[in-house]
Amino acid sequence: MKIPIHFILNGEEVSVEVEPNELLLNLLREKLGLTGPKYVCGIGECGACTVLLDGEPVLSCLTLAVDVDGHEVTTIEGLAKDNELTAVQKAFIEEAAVQCGYCTPGFIIMIDKLLKENPNPTEEEIREYIRGNLCRCTGYVNIVKAALKAAEELRKNTSLIKIKK
Amino acid sequence: MSSSEDPYALMEKWLKAKEFLVVGKGVRRADALEKAMGQARFVEDFYMPGHMLFIKQVLSTEPHARILGIDASKALEVPSVEGVFTAKDIPGENQVGYALPDQPLIAEGKVRFAGELVALVAAKDFDKAIEAAEKVKIMYDPLPYVLDPLEAMERKDILVHGEVGSNIAFRTKVRKGDIEEGFSKSDVIVENEYRTHHQDHVYLETEGALALPELGDRLTVISAGQYPHLVRAIVARVVGLPESNIKVIIPYMGGGFGGKDDEGPLVAAKAALIAKLTGKPSFLMYTRDESMLMHPKREATIIKYKSGASRDGKLQAIEVKIIHDTGAYSNRGPFILWRATVHASGPYRVPHAKVDGYCIYTNKVYQGSYRGFGNPSVQFAAEAQMDSLARKLGIDPVELRLKNLLRPGDLTITGQQLNESVGVADAVAKLAKVSEWSSKIKAYSSSNGRYRRGIGIGVAWHGISTSRGVPDWSNALVKIEKDGSVSVHTGIVEMGQGSPVSSHRQIASEILGAPLDVVTVDFGTTDAPDTGATHASRGTSIGAIGVYVAAAKLRERLNKLASELLGTSPDEIEIKDGKAYLRSNPEKYISWKELIKEAYSRGVEMSATGYFFLPKGKFNDEAGQGYAYPAFSYVAMVAEVEVDTYTGKVRVLRIWPALAAGRIINPTQVEGQVEGAAVQGMGYVLMEQFVFDNKGRILNPNLTDYVVPTALDAPEIMRPVYVEDIFKYGPFGAKGVGEMALIPAPAAIANAVSNALGVQVTKLPLTPENVYFLIKEKMGKKA
């Protein structure tokens, strides 16, 4: 049984037919060609498949595709606007928070979200927020550094805008 | 080859460099942007569902059984199923053992562990492949099985490999001096039995391969792997084609840590087999549970260790028996055991040594390559011995180590003299200072109450290149294109460690004088010359020698050409900042682009390979003495822990690492390796553990029940202490780094826990449960 669904994906409308048991991760990767979200554990333990659903992080390996009907999905591919990287993406590159890169999309999505909720997080708050994302390469040191740096950059930019006003 | 292009002469010349343009700097890796954007392509990202066959594996449920028959009739009825394939369908050889010819790709006649591959199902539809795999019926005649390595050593009635006649797959030994004499000179002797457990790599990307058949019996395989030429050799053997018909591409990998050096060629061979048999593109990606059930693990060991020292703190003798539970197949077990055996002393002067190694078959998942390769377990034992000796002698643990650490000119336990590049003592002395060792060890010795602090040290060594003088080489192809851009082609893979995307580019740029941003590296492909594997911390230390030598050859040609164009001698030419100029007169120059254009128009070849065969000595297996490695990297680690004596939970608070690994080409990437390895080591010591049932089956092949560290578990990791003890055959003097910080982690953390609790830890892992019983046992002794 195919079910038609319509949703906004990275700012663009998408109409597609899915199976009732089809996972959002598989829909994104296999039908829509967005391979940024990764399959790692398949059971919601690692966060590598994290995407935003109406702005909230969800695990796309545990989300049914039919459930995004009428909603808005953002993947790692949709974060950079007009080829301008987000502060978190830039900080990941600058702070060497990227090694193998498999966990990177999930971490960037999460930290992007964290900084929207909390523009001035402590190291402890960052670690707490990303505890559901696994990385096997970095020991988390540079990921945390990148989050702190991105937060600082974002605060600087916001204060600049304020001054301009 | 002109004499000016002799690799030894070129290496000697560049080793003398004192000032650097890009070497030694924290240059950003070239792949960071595409990875941060989610655009980097890994094996699974090349799969196109509906256009390719999907492969599902059928695994053994029995630890040891004869295969009476395989009934695929029900599976073949499932729509879109292309076929069910077993050992008998293999057109080439069903033999994939790396060290010994004991391992089939697909079980033949019998299975030797629960999780072994018995059949492959291929279907156009992913769901149907899974459905069909569940319908394949295997008829087993169960055989008696053996799980415990000590029991397996003794038994002759249950044999994992009947044709071997025993469960001892392989033996190793080292003999130096006379241990009887050594122990008679010893004022203190300590003897302990150590046990270490399996570890899963938990690379975030599981094993996968996509095989694309082409006309004329050719195959392209996009696969996991750490050595494209080895992947190709195994594929060729299994499908029965010449190696030259097969092209292997290893794209970005989501971690390797050794595991994909073992399992990469196997997943490639499985996908290639189906592609060869069906003529269709075929894709196999292990699920997490398949990966955890099937791929080889870090060795589980039993190590019996006796050490003696004189009152002045000098080591006199060691006697060590190392038993590796190799599981159902030897895989790389003999190589792993060799490494453990020759490193058994730790990086110390020991006049009398007797070391025996045993690689034992059991009916469990087999052991394999994992960051450290047999060394973390034996360094844990050696370093626990050092702490036990220190306690008995009343000498500070760091001081005891400093009295015995290897220094230039010393002999190892295999009798190899180390004349250069031995910076370990310097590194340990500096590490003690930065970690404030002396004051902390004093303060924590009286630690009381519920939470107890402890500090511990682990010092280790790790031979560079293959053990015992086994041949090893490097190579690369470096080309300067007509537009002045530079391409480097290497078999070294990119699995997160960053050598192709950072150090290789830096080395090419440094030597050629070409701007860093014009250098591109094409990695992980059989199109490059055979570079050897990306394992054993050799990606930069040996892998990049090829880049170093090839670039140096091109630089000689460029200097000669530029000197002719500018009317001077080649030695007068400097190349940097996009131009070649006279050192004495920078105004006299030719731009980089013009220079390359001239090379093409004047018949100067702008491509070169950088083959280098490492000079080595010989090891005498009979005597247990001889040459082990061209050089050693050294690593030390201090760990500070807090133990909750109510629950047994250990927290690692801080880690101080130190490296004597030659020239540090890229400190940022090296720190990344150190931090990642330290946390992987911490996970191994504190939380990671497989649970086996009474049939040797893994009960927790998933990331819920096999727990790896999160950001909340990871300790603070301080900046490493570097002692750049230059190695003459490393690029700019570099030695290996990738594995290093994992190797002393079990020792450092376990010794810190020992010091916190006033016990000696001899068994890993230090899960809350195990630590709780350690505390109970100690309290029982007191009472």
Side-chain angles (χ1 to χ4, degrees):
Chain A
M1 186 180 67
K2 295 271 187 194
I3 302 166
I5 60 168
H6 312 278
F7 65 106
I8 311 276
L9 176 59
N10 294 335
E12 286 180 24
E13 279 183 43
V14 175
S15 297
V16 63
E17 288 197 331
V18 299
E19 298 288 339
N21 66 343
E22 193 165 337
L23 297 169
L24 178 58
L25 177 63
N26 292 344
L27 169 67
L28 293 171
R29 290 183 53 86
E30 296 180 352
K31 284 195 187 143
L32 303 173
L34 295 176
T35 55
K38 299 295 181 203
Y39 165 89
V40 169
C41 71
I43 52 175
E45 288 289 351
C46 73
C49 65
T50 306
V51 300
L52 296 173
L53 179 59
D54 296 334
E56 290 299 319
V58 296
L59 299 167
S60 64
C61 80
L62 297 182
T63 305
L64 289 171
V66 289
D67 284 344
V68 306
D69 187 27
H71 294 272
E72 188 174 350
V73 173
T74 308
T75 69
I76 182 77
E77 289 94 338
L79 287 189
K81 297 272 188 301
D82 305 324
N83 272 333
E84 175 70 14
L85 299 181
T86 67
V88 179
Q89 285 174 316
K90 279 185 204 160
F92 262 64
I93 296 169
E94 284 161 11
E95 292 298 316
V98 177
Q99 284 191 28
C100 86
Y102 225 66
C103 71
T104 309
F107 273 102
I108 287 178
I109 294 245
M110 284 302 282
I111 294 169
D112 228 59
K113 175 67 182 166
L114 163 68
L115 300 185
K116 285 197 176 85
E117 289 173 11
N118 178 359
N120 194 9
T122 63
E123 182 175 335
E124 228 19 69
E125 286 167 339
I126 293 166
R127 287 180 183 268
E128 181 70 32
Y129 201 88
I130 59 173
R131 71 186 188 280
N133 290 65
L134 296 179
C135 169
R136 196 63 160 162
C137 295
T138 65
Y140 304 100
V141 178
N142 291 346
I143 291 175
V144 172
K145 269 190 206 161
L148 287 167
K149 172 154 188 178
E152 195 189 321
E153 284 301 314
L154 284 170
R155 288 198 305 275
K156 260 194 232 159
N157 290 342
T158 341
S159 56
L160 275 180
I161 293 162
K162 274 182 194 152
I163 292 163
K164 272 183 197 161
K165 276 181 183 170
Chain B
M1 184 184 71
S2 72
S3 62
S4 68
E5 294 194 359
D6 168 53
Y8 285 97
L10 293 172
M11 289 170 89
E12 209 181 317
K13 179 173 175 177
W14 286 95
L15 194 62
K16 287 181 192 143
K18 288 275 178 291
E19 281 170 33
F20 300 100
L21 304 170
V22 287
V23 161
K25 304 203 163 69
V27 168
R28 240 175 248 169
R29 44 193 297 161
D31 58 354
L33 175 66
E34 53 185 319
K35 286 179 174 174
M37 293 182 76
Q39 304 286 356
R41 301 242 271 170
F42 299 80
V43 170
E44 193 174 11
D45 303 336
F46 292 90
Y47 169 53
M48 297 201 298
H51 304 278
M52 301 170 169
L53 295 179
F54 188 88
I55 304 167
K56 186 69 189 167
Q57 310 186 80
V58 180
L59 309 187
S60 161
T61 50
E62 293 297 313
H64 200 194
R66 254 187 296 275
I67 301 172
L68 297 176
I70 298 173
D71 177 7
S73 56
K74 287 274 180 296
L76 291 168
E77 286 169 10
V78 176
S80 101
V81 167
E82 188 79 17
V84 175
F85 306 92
T86 61
K88 67 174 175 22
D89 297 308
I90 291 177
E93 280 179 66
N94 187 19
Q95 180 50 251
V96 294
Y98 296 121
L100 304 171
D102 65 358
Q103 186 182 345
L105 179 71
I106 305 177
E108 198 165 357
K110 76 172 186 173
V111 292
R112 295 182 177 86
F113 74 101
E116 180 161 10
L117 178 65
V118 184
L120 293 168
V121 179
K124 212 163 221 156
D125 190 275
F126 166 81
D127 292 330
K128 298 298 171 201
I130 295 171
E131 188 186 327
E134 284 166 0
K135 290 185 173 167
V136 175
K137 237 171 103 186
I138 320 278
M139 276 73 75
Y140 293 109
D141 172 24
L143 296 167
Y145 53 92
V146 61
L147 303 177
D148 178 68
L150 293 178
E151 186 192 340
M153 276 176 95
E154 304 303 327
R155 291 197 86 127
K156 293 279 181 281
D157 56 333
I158 306 174
L159 294 177
V160 182
H161 293 267
E163 68 284 1
V164 179
S166 138
N167 289 317
I168 301 176
F170 199 75
R171 292 181 62 165
T172 56
K173 69 173 186 194
V174 164
R175 295 287 184 274
K176 185 188 183 195
D178 172 8
I179 56 162
E180 297 308 321
E181 186 193 327
F183 285 120
S184 72
K185 283 186 185 162
S186 299
D187 299 302
V188 296
I189 290 173
V190 293
E191 199 168 356
N192 286 303
E193 183 181 300
Y194 298 91
R195 292 201 179 220
T196 66
H197 58 300
H198 292 97
Q199 185 182 20
D200 194 280
H201 307 72
V202 190
Y203 15 67
L204 292 199
E205 178 203 30
T206 58
E207 301 83 349
L210 171 61
L212 307 161
E214 290 168 38
L215 286 179
D217 249 350
R218 288 180 300 124
L219 268 177
T220 295
V221 188
I222 301 171
S223 177
Q226 293 181 210
Y227 185 1
H229 296 80
L230 174 67
V231 173
R232 184 174 69 176
I234 297 289
V235 168
R237 193 195 292 165
V238 169
V239 302
L241 288 176
E243 289 186 23
S244 55
N245 282 27
I246 297 159
K247 173 172 173 159
V248 171
I249 298 164
I250 299 178
Y252 287 127
M253 262 194 298
F257 314 120
K260 287 180 184 165
D261 200 19
D262 294 343
E263 197 66 23
L266 307 191
V267 66
K270 293 170 195 175
L273 173 67
I274 303 303
K276 176 81 169 69
L277 295 174
T278 62
K280 295 179 179 168
S282 303
F283 173 71
L284 169 60
M285 191 86 203
Y286 290 15
T287 57
R288 179 59 55 183
D289 60 324
E290 282 172 331
S291 173
M292 295 183 90
L293 291 171
M294 298 182 83
H295 83 242
K297 312 300 175 207
R298 180 184 300 291
E299 73 286 352
T301 72
I302 300 165
I303 300 171
K304 295 179 184 186
Y305 208 127
K306 181 179 172 187
S307 328
S310 45
R311 199 164 291 118
D312 59 0
K314 293 266 166 69
L315 285 171
Q316 297 298 336
I318 58 166
E319 184 178 10
V320 191
K321 186 175 178 182
I322 303 168
I323 296 167
H324 283 182
D325 177 357
T326 198
Y329 296 104
S330 68
N331 184 40
R332 280 195 167 85
F335 307 143
I336 295 167
L337 186 65
W338 264 120
R339 192 165 274 271
T341 306
V342 299
H343 286 84
S345 58
Y348 302 110
R349 282 185 305 271
V350 182
H352 306 283
K354 177 173 184 271
V355 188
D356 288 286
Y358 299 84
C359 182
I360 306 297
Y361 289 125
T362 59
N363 293 108
K364 295 205 295 284
V365 66
Y366 52 107
Q367 75 157 347
S369 317
Y370 193 152
R371 205 174 204 171
F373 207 70
N375 210 8
S377 46
V378 82
Q379 302 298 301
F380 158 63
E383 287 296 273
Q385 288 292 104
M386 289 304 276
D387 268 23
S388 295
L389 284 173
R391 230 169 273 131
K392 270 202 165 179
L393 288 161
I395 300 177
D396 174 85
V398 168
E399 201 190 320
L400 180 69
R401 284 166 173 83
L402 287 171
K403 280 176 192 284
N404 292 284
L405 280 169
L406 290 164
R407 289 162 205 267
D410 282 342
L411 296 179
T412 68
I413 51 166
T414 70
Q416 183 180 345
Q417 189 166 30
L418 302 175
N419 288 322
E420 49 164 355
S421 193
V422 191
V424 62
D426 195 9
V428 169
K430 286 184 170 137
L431 182 64
K433 226 174 245 169
V434 300
S435 63
E436 298 171 37
W437 172 270
S438 309
S439 59
K440 281 185 178 143
I441 190 106
K442 270 184 211 120
Y444 297 162
S445 65
S446 53
S447 182
N448 242 319
R450 175 174 173 179
Y451 297 98
R452 306 227 177 120
R453 290 262 172 124
I455 191 165
I457 186 166
V459 186
W461 58 337
H462 198 67
I464 299 305
S465 179
T466 38
S467 305
R468 294 177 305 137
V470 169
D472 195 8
W473 61 84
S474 185
N475 207 346
L477 169 65
V478 178
K479 299 187 290 179
I480 307 177
E481 312 294 353
K482 279 199 211 77
D483 64 357
S485 60
V486 177
S487 47
V488 175
H489 303 265
T490 176
I492 293 300
V493 306
E494 181 45 68
M495 51 187 174
Q497 89 285 15
S499 32
V501 294
S502 63
S503 71
H504 283 48
R505 293 177 70 231
Q506 287 170 272
I507 289 164
S509 166
E510 183 73 48
I511 291 188
L512 293 172
L516 193 63
D517 58 12
V518 307
V519 182
T520 305
V521 178
D522 172 28
F523 56 81
T525 159
T526 47
D527 285 351
D530 189 327
T531 318
T534 312
H535 66 197
S537 305
R538 75 190 283 294
T540 294
S541 64
I542 296 174
I545 300 174
V547 182
Y548 186 63
V549 170
K553 288 179 185 174
L554 292 172
R555 177 66 188 260
E556 293 297 305
R557 295 175 203 170
L558 290 175
N559 270 32
K560 182 160 178 287
L561 174 65
S563 69
E564 285 162 13
L565 294 169
L566 299 172
T568 182
S569 72
D571 296 341
E572 265 299 295
I573 297 294
E574 188 68 74
I575 306 180
K576 69 175 179 192
D577 302 331
K579 50 193 163 181
Y581 55 88
L582 261 64
R583 200 165 283 137
S584 54
N585 180 11
E587 296 300 304
K588 227 173 153 189
Y589 74 91
I590 175 168
S591 78
W592 169 261
K593 282 195 168 182
E594 280 301 314
L595 180 66
I596 303 307
K597 231 184 240 168
E598 288 295 330
Y600 273 87
S601 61
R602 287 165 188 256
V604 181
E605 189 192 356
M606 283 291 96
S607 60
T609 53
Y611 184 68
F612 182 71
F613 188 79
L614 270 152
K616 289 185 174 189
K618 289 257 181 294
F619 191 90
N620 182 338
D621 288 344
E622 280 307 303
Q625 281 285 287
Y627 183 95
Y629 303 96
F632 292 83
S633 270
Y634 303 89
V635 54
M637 180 179 284
V638 168
E640 190 175 348
V641 302
E642 185 177 80
V643 186
D644 181 344
T645 55
Y646 288 9
T647 63
K649 188 171 164 55
V650 176
R651 271 184 65 210
V652 179
L653 304 173
R654 229 162 271 115
I655 279 176
W656 289 265
L659 273 180
R663 174 92 57 207
I664 302 298
I665 306 274
N666 188 322
T668 304
Q669 296 309 320
V670 167
E671 274 165 46
Q673 288 301 299
V674 167
E675 291 155 358
V679 173
Q680 223 171 65
M682 187 206 76
Y684 178 55
V685 179
L686 299 186
M687 45 182 63
E688 299 178 33
Q689 187 178 25
F690 276 117
V691 181
F692 293 89
D693 73 2
N694 62 2
K695 279 187 157 182
R697 292 178 295 208
I698 293 172
L699 292 176
N700 55 338
N702 59 68
L703 298 186
T704 302
D705 300 318
Y706 184 96
V707 185
V708 299
T710 70
L712 284 177
D713 304 305
E716 183 180 5
I717 301 171
M718 314 309 280
R719 282 208 58 186
V721 167
Y722 296 125
V723 172
E724 294 191 294
D725 51 352
I726 298 301
F727 167 48
K728 66 181 172 190
Y729 296 134
F732 293 106
K735 298 190 284 186
V737 166
E739 297 164 280
M740 294 316 145
L742 201 147
I743 299 167
I749 296 168
N751 284 343
V753 171
S754 298
N755 288 336
L757 298 176
V759 300
Q760 185 58 55
V761 170
T762 55
K763 195 178 164 215
L764 301 180
L766 294 172
T767 52
E769 186 186 12
N770 288 344
V771 174
Y772 178 79
F773 284 115
L774 263 180
I775 296 165
K776 283 275 261 195
E777 194 185 322
K778 198 201 166 195
M779 279 162 58
K781 268 183 201 160
K782 262 190 189 164

